[in-house]
Amino acid sequence: MCGIAGYFQINNRQQNDRQTLKRMIFPVRHRGPDDFGFFVGKTTGLAHARLSIIDLEGGRQPIANEDRTLWIIFNGEIFNYPELRAELLKKGHIFTTHSDTEVILHLYEEKGTDCLADLNGQFAIAIHDTKKQALFLARDRMGIRPLFYTHHNGSFYFASEVKSIFSAHHALPRQINQHVLSEIFTFWSPVGEKSIFSGIKQLLPGHFMEVTDSGIHEPQCYWSIPFCPDEPGKRSEQEYAAELRELLIDAVRIRLRADVPVGAYLSGGLDSSAITSLVKNYTNNPLKTFSVTFSDKVYDESAEQNEIKEYLGTDHNQIVCSYKDIAESFPEVILHTETPILRTAPVPLFLLSQLVHQNQYKVVLTGEGADEIMGGYDIFKEAKIRAFIHAQPNSIYRPQLLKRLYPYMALSPAKFVEFARKSFAADADTHDLFYAHRPRWKTTSGTHIFLSNQVLEQGKELVKGLDYMHNNLKGLDFFNRAQYLECKTLMANYLLSSQGDRMAMAHSVEGRFPFLDHRVVEFAGRIPTYYKMKALNEKNILKQAMEDILPPHIVRRKKQPYMAPDISSFFAEKEPDYLDYFLSPSLLNEAGLFKPKAVEKLLEKCRKKSRQGFRENMAFVGILSSQIVYEKMIKNFKLAT
Amino acid sequence: MSKMKTEIRAFIFENFLFDAEEDALQNDASFLEQGIIDSTGVLELVEWIEEEFGFTVGDEEIVPENFDSVNLLCDYLAQKTEKCLQPT
């Protein structure tokens, strides 16, 4: 995995500016500490920080084609590159390396932007065409690898991380986008292409764009998550399970392609156990596994982890994460997320990638994505139960099913049925395109009482910002709509970024996600809803696909989503010194994002009692992380020299 | 406004509304519908009532009809404290 950065002079001014490239790539050296490479052309500059995984000796970037008219930098992996390379060789292309990067370049020569359809991988690509004086950018289908860009005074800048873009030029404006801040405090992540910084956009997953001397062309979508369930009765459950297993075996097999050893994360749940078991049963890869456990027993899954480790006989390594660890690492984590977060969950993953790095591993497989594509989250179950209640609103028995929700939570929102019925809006209209997500958004919006009036003014009609999804949601049942929304909002803009790419890359570790192989995702979209969640049995087809290679009780174990302690991390033991600074009235006033008095009262409440409800937990972590983003990325941003 | 209502409002402001204006809380407004309290906040309310008024709230009593607005909560507490004061 790597870091990329670069610029394009739209109005064709001579720049030849290697210094700009150095300033841009230096802040993301954690993404690629093994090597740096630069290309400086007439209108374009490309910079690359390399984490060498494939073709260790020959894979330096930028790489050029045969006549040096195309130059590429690339962050990611193309897992089917050997097959693509063989086809390109037959067509007469001449390779100078054995890297997957060069395969993309020749494929682009061959097919232009259509080359993206052939790539199975996770990537952010930049190709400069010296003949056309054009820049081509593309991002993988699911949004596993990040790609940000901006435009300022005739110059176009792009990079893997925002800190690179800010480092390009001291005059680049740095401001918090208050509308996006209110989106985060509603949906848990930004929606769409905007970032928390005004003027900085991300290229959306499954999109590409071109920049030429005539300007920035509108990004084009080349792939979108398809949810097209088969006709009922077309195939049996067993057939779906068998095909899923074959697809996953191949997704795992090609994700083990590397010239360095590949490990795996092991959480103790079904998804990572499934991946680890497939590696064990269908490949020769000697397996080293890694996990995080918590000193707070509420969050600890070490018993489950040890059990699966014993069963599969892996060489296992784990870290125990305390409240203090989370509090201590939090500011540094936010420097990597570069965006406010409402949960501390990324922090233990930051510490976990450090453990992987210490073990001299660069690549890990993870089970991320299974819950979204196979229907594992309680939000899907919740929607199903609500619809069940809605069908007979006067039933006194149906609401009892709400008790089946969130059993792993000490403070379950479903504990009291009548309150749950009301708070889950069990009388809502299932035809509402956002039916499944509205209760979550409403709960999260409770945090708005802390937002400043200015931010509240900017953050009106937030759900309208999701209108661009309407066409993709129409015609789907509420379950598939919920899955689509979860994939498009939370997965791409939070799970795969703040909790995924950023936490792994902070320690030069590459995560690989077999469940997000586009063939698996496309297949999952064809599984009928009633097979995905049979009654209230989540991930039914995945469980069937794995039942003979995992112990029965691991397959049947109820979903326990990965979580970490939030407010407790900062108040259960010694309060970190930095709280007084980041949450001081003066810095709060200066940033203008929150109401200082309300924050002060929240702090008082936290100091009195460390365990709080959802809203306070989300608000506290969100406010603190926003203030850190403001202080580190806006107020005191240090330009690399 | 009764002393009890004032106490309830003070608790809601201190723990859920923080520095909001007084008119942010109408006495008959649903806590859940208005987003004043989420389903986990209800447990904080229960905890406070048990500490403040010295009786145990039964699970079957934790329903919106008793807990979902200042007025409903006030009625419930009036009824309960009266019960608690009655000689057995």
Side-chain angles (χ1 to χ4, degrees):
Chain A
M1 201 49 67
C2 312
I4 61 174
Y7 61 78
F8 183 92
Q9 300 299 342
I10 292 171
N11 53 12
N12 236 336
R13 287 176 309 172
Q14 290 288 122
Q15 181 152 331
N16 292 339
D17 191 352
R18 186 177 283 261
Q19 280 313 314
T20 299
L21 293 175
K22 283 184 175 172
R23 273 201 314 276
M24 290 179 84
I25 207 67
F26 183 74
V28 290
R29 62 195 179 281
H30 53 272
R31 298 184 71 90
D34 297 335
D35 194 10
F36 293 99
F38 302 93
F39 165 85
V40 181
K42 198 168 82 167
T43 56
T44 308
L46 306 175
H48 185 259
R50 186 178 183 218
L51 182 67
S52 44
I53 287 170
I54 289 174
D55 191 5
L56 306 188
E57 294 308 313
R60 290 194 70 186
Q61 297 183 40
I63 290 177
N65 63 339
E66 296 92 333
D67 62 2
R68 301 174 78 76
T69 55
L70 293 175
W71 290 82
I72 184 172
I73 49 172
F74 153 67
N75 160 210
E77 303 294 340
I78 306 301
F79 300 115
N80 60 335
Y81 80 97
E83 292 82 4
L84 294 170
R85 190 175 193 271
E87 286 170 30
L88 289 162
L89 281 168
K90 278 184 208 160
K91 289 182 172 155
H93 286 270
I94 298 161
F95 284 81
T96 56
T97 75
H98 292 277
S99 69
D100 53 347
T101 312
E102 196 180 3
V103 169
I104 304 169
L105 196 60
H106 292 297
L107 197 63
Y108 179 77
E109 265 187 307
E110 194 66 34
K111 295 188 167 185
T113 58
D114 289 346
C115 73
L116 298 168
D118 293 354
L119 302 178
N120 184 334
Q122 46 194 51
F123 51 81
I125 299 168
I127 296 175
H128 174 51
D129 185 329
T130 58
K131 278 195 291 198
K132 280 190 352 191
Q133 283 304 321
L135 178 71
F136 166 75
L137 299 175
R139 193 169 172 209
D140 67 72
R141 294 169 179 84
M142 303 304 290
I144 295 169
R145 295 298 153 220
L147 189 52
F148 294 94
Y149 66 92
T150 194
H151 176 226
H152 181 69
N153 277 351
S155 296
F156 175 88
Y157 300 99
F158 68 92
S160 301
E161 296 188 17
V162 177
K163 50 181 74 77
S164 291
I165 293 176
F166 283 165
S167 296
H169 200 288
H170 64 86
L172 271 165
R174 296 194 309 274
Q175 278 183 325
I176 295 284
N177 181 326
Q178 299 191 343
H179 179 86
V180 171
L181 184 75
S182 54
E183 279 183 353
I184 294 169
F185 277 71
T186 305
F187 307 118
W188 293 8
S189 63
V191 295
E193 61 180 2
K194 289 179 179 159
S195 78
I196 189 64
F197 303 106
S198 298
I200 308 264
K201 292 179 177 175
Q202 62 160 336
L203 183 59
L204 288 172
H207 281 64
F208 68 86
M209 69 190 290
E210 283 185 300
V211 188
T212 63
D213 53 11
S214 62
I216 302 166
H217 300 249
E218 194 61 31
Q220 306 285 310
C221 179
Y222 69 89
W223 187 88
S224 187
I225 299 174
F227 283 99
C228 315
D230 291 341
E231 290 298 313
K234 188 181 173 189
R235 303 169 75 187
S236 70
E237 268 176 278
Q238 291 71 26
E239 285 172 319
Y240 283 113
E243 186 172 347
L244 176 63
R245 176 133 138 193
E246 288 309 308
L247 282 168
L248 280 174
I249 290 168
D250 198 59
V252 165
R253 182 183 63 81
I254 63 175
R255 274 161 186 74
L256 290 170
R257 286 172 170 172
D259 296 329
V260 294
V262 178
Y265 282 166
L266 198 56
S267 71
L270 171 66
D271 311 337
S272 60
S273 301
I275 297 303
T276 312
S277 184
L278 289 170
V279 174
K280 172 97 181 157
N281 283 278
Y282 293 96
T283 75
N284 297 319
N285 191 75
L287 203 52
K288 202 172 179 109
T289 51
F290 302 91
S291 68
V292 63
T293 66
F294 292 94
S295 52
D296 182 336
K297 293 296 165 217
V298 170
Y299 303 92
D300 185 46
E301 291 183 83
S302 54
E304 292 86 353
Q305 290 164 6
N306 291 334
E307 187 183 15
I308 191 75
K309 167 201 89 175
E310 291 297 325
Y311 178 79
L312 294 171
T314 70
D315 173 6
H316 190 63
N317 303 262
Q318 63 182 37
I319 49 157
V320 181
C321 189
S322 67
Y323 295 140
K324 185 165 163 274
D325 295 330
I326 292 174
E328 273 181 1
S329 300
F330 192 76
E332 191 181 350
V333 161
I334 301 306
L335 264 177
H336 286 285
T337 65
E338 297 184 318
T339 193
I341 53 177
L342 302 192
R343 297 258 116 124
T344 61
V347 186
L349 296 171
F350 171 82
L351 298 168
L352 182 58
S353 71
Q354 189 173 44
L355 176 75
V356 174
H357 183 76
Q358 285 162 352
N359 277 266
Q360 296 174 340
Y361 266 61
K362 290 180 176 181
V363 183
V364 285
L365 301 186
T366 94
E368 201 69 74
D371 286 314
E372 287 82 358
I373 64 162
M374 303 306 300
Y377 285 131
D378 258 1
I379 195 168
F380 307 136
K381 199 179 283 186
E382 181 189 302
K384 200 170 176 181
I385 293 172
R386 286 166 57 215
F388 175 73
I389 296 168
H390 185 61
Q392 289 282 333
N394 298 325
S395 164
I396 53 169
Y397 300 110
R398 289 181 178 233
Q400 296 298 321
L401 260 189
L402 290 165
K403 287 183 176 171
R404 298 279 293 276
L405 294 169
Y406 310 102
Y408 46 84
M409 282 189 177
L411 277 179
S412 170
K415 190 172 168 68
F416 302 107
V417 166
E418 286 309 311
F419 260 105
R421 187 209 282 252
K422 199 162 181 172
S423 68
F424 287 134
D427 58 346
D429 176 12
T430 52
H431 295 101
D432 171 8
L433 292 180
F434 306 126
Y435 168 78
H437 281 72
R438 288 208 193 257
R440 180 202 281 175
W441 295 344
K442 188 176 176 183
T443 300
T444 310
S445 298
T447 59
H448 289 194
I449 55 171
F450 298 99
L451 296 174
S452 69
N453 293 335
Q454 202 182 357
V455 174
L456 287 171
E457 196 56 40
Q458 294 286 321
K460 286 182 174 164
E461 300 202 322
L462 292 167
V463 178
K464 275 197 89 58
L466 302 175
D467 281 357
Y468 70 96
M469 295 185 186
H470 275 196
N471 287 339
N472 293 313
L473 292 169
K474 278 177 188 160
L476 298 177
D477 64 18
F478 66 81
F479 195 97
N480 280 294
R481 286 200 305 264
Q483 283 187 281
Y484 182 90
L485 266 175
E486 199 69 5
C487 288
K488 283 290 187 180
T489 55
L490 207 64
M491 183 168 77
N493 290 343
Y494 170 74
L495 281 173
L496 294 176
S497 52
S498 295
Q499 209 167 288
D501 172 88
R502 302 314 190 79
M503 293 306 102
M505 292 311 297
H507 294 114
S508 316
V509 171
E510 175 185 290
R512 295 182 176 184
F513 311 91
F515 282 107
L516 296 180
D517 183 309
H518 68 277
R519 296 168 304 168
V520 177
V521 175
E522 287 166 359
F523 171 76
R526 292 201 300 272
I527 302 171
T529 299
Y530 60 88
Y531 281 159
K532 272 186 204 158
M533 185 176 284
K534 208 169 175 186
L536 291 181
N537 179 28
E538 74 276 359
K539 292 188 286 199
N540 168 53
I541 295 295
L542 177 62
K543 287 174 179 174
Q544 290 203 35
M546 296 297 137
E547 64 187 353
D548 63 340
I549 57 168
L550 283 173
H553 60 284
I554 286 181
V555 171
R556 285 197 295 267
R557 180 179 292 149
K558 284 292 163 210
K559 167 78 192 160
Q560 173 159 341
Y562 161 72
M563 295 188 301
D566 293 315
I567 286 177
S568 316
S569 300
F570 303 92
F571 296 96
E573 292 167 3
K574 187 182 174 294
E575 202 178 299
D577 295 339
Y578 59 73
L579 285 191
D580 282 338
Y581 170 63
F582 287 119
L583 301 180
S584 65
S586 60
L587 196 67
L588 284 160
N589 273 313
E590 188 185 305
L593 308 174
F594 305 102
K595 293 172 179 154
K597 199 84 195 134
V599 174
E600 187 188 328
K601 287 180 178 258
L602 175 64
L603 260 173
E604 279 171 26
K605 188 178 176 183
C606 293
R607 282 171 177 147
K608 269 192 269 182
K609 192 174 62 163
S610 63
R611 285 220 189 274
Q612 310 278 358
F614 291 149
R615 185 175 56 171
E616 285 77 8
N617 274 292
M618 289 189 286
F620 180 80
V621 177
I623 293 164
L624 179 60
S625 56
S626 302
Q627 287 294 105
I628 294 170
V629 168
Y630 168 77
E631 202 274 347
K632 303 270 185 210
M633 299 286 295
I634 309 278
K635 178 181 161 83
N636 288 325
F637 183 76
K638 289 180 179 65
L639 222 61
T641 49
Chain B
M1 203 181 305
S2 71
K3 182 172 172 288
M4 194 176 281
K5 222 169 253 191
T6 307
E7 265 183 83
I8 294 167
R9 286 181 64 86
F11 178 79
I12 300 290
F13 271 91
E14 190 184 342
N15 288 278
F16 301 109
L17 288 173
F18 303 99
D19 79 329
E21 301 293 326
E22 269 295 307
D23 62 7
L25 179 61
Q26 303 301 317
N27 288 337
D28 58 353
S30 159
F31 293 151
L32 283 174
E33 281 168 22
Q34 300 290 311
I36 294 165
I37 290 180
D38 62 28
S39 46
T40 52
V42 172
L43 292 168
E44 280 188 71
L45 259 184
V46 171
E47 195 180 30
W48 171 69
I49 287 164
E50 292 190 346
E51 273 181 13
E52 192 69 21
F53 297 92
F55 63 85
T56 304
V57 178
D59 278 5
E60 70 287 352
E61 293 173 326
I62 304 173
V63 291
E65 289 76 9
N66 292 337
F67 278 77
D68 197 29
S69 73
V70 172
N71 286 343
L72 291 170
L73 191 52
C74 200
D75 291 347
Y76 166 74
L77 287 173
Q79 188 191 45
K80 286 296 286 189
T81 46
E82 210 171 280
K83 268 188 192 168
C84 291
L85 292 171
Q86 280 171 3
T88 49

